[in-house]
Amino acid sequence: MGKLKPISHKELVRKLRKLGFDGPYSGGKHLFMIKGNLTLTIPNPHRKDISVELLKRILKILKYQGMNG
């Protein structure tokens, strides 16, 4: 995997769909996506890119759940 860089909300959703997630669905304050028994809360699209730190946290969750893309 190459060096991480900030990405847009739209790009995050596209990449998660490639990994087999459905959604995003609205639920309270944040959107979420689902794959099997995993529900992943994703950041709101506030016209800013999603930071590298937040991407690392999302990737850590996916790795912990055994979802290597």
Side-chain angles (χ1 to χ4, degrees):
M1 180 189 321
K3 184 177 178 181
L4 288 177
K5 61 181 181 174
I7 62 172
S8 68
H9 176 267
K10 186 176 180 178
E11 183 66 20
L12 176 63
V13 169
R14 186 174 15 249
K15 289 181 182 289
L16 288 172
R17 283 184 179 154
K18 275 185 156 181
L19 291 173
F21 281 83
D22 293 319
Y25 304 104
S26 60
K29 292 182 180 183
H30 295 282
L31 301 173
F32 64 94
M33 296 183 77
I34 298 173
K35 180 176 180 181
N37 293 327
L38 176 63
T39 299
L40 181 66
T41 302
I42 58 174
N44 288 328
H46 290 292
R47 293 193 179 104
K48 290 186 178 181
D49 285 345
I50 296 166
S51 70
V52 171
E53 287 304 312
L54 186 51
L55 287 173
K56 285 180 183 179
R57 285 190 264 164
I58 293 169
L59 290 171
K60 189 175 182 179
I61 291 167
L62 296 178
K63 183 177 178 183
Y64 177 76
Q65 294 295 324
M67 299 198 174
N68 298 328

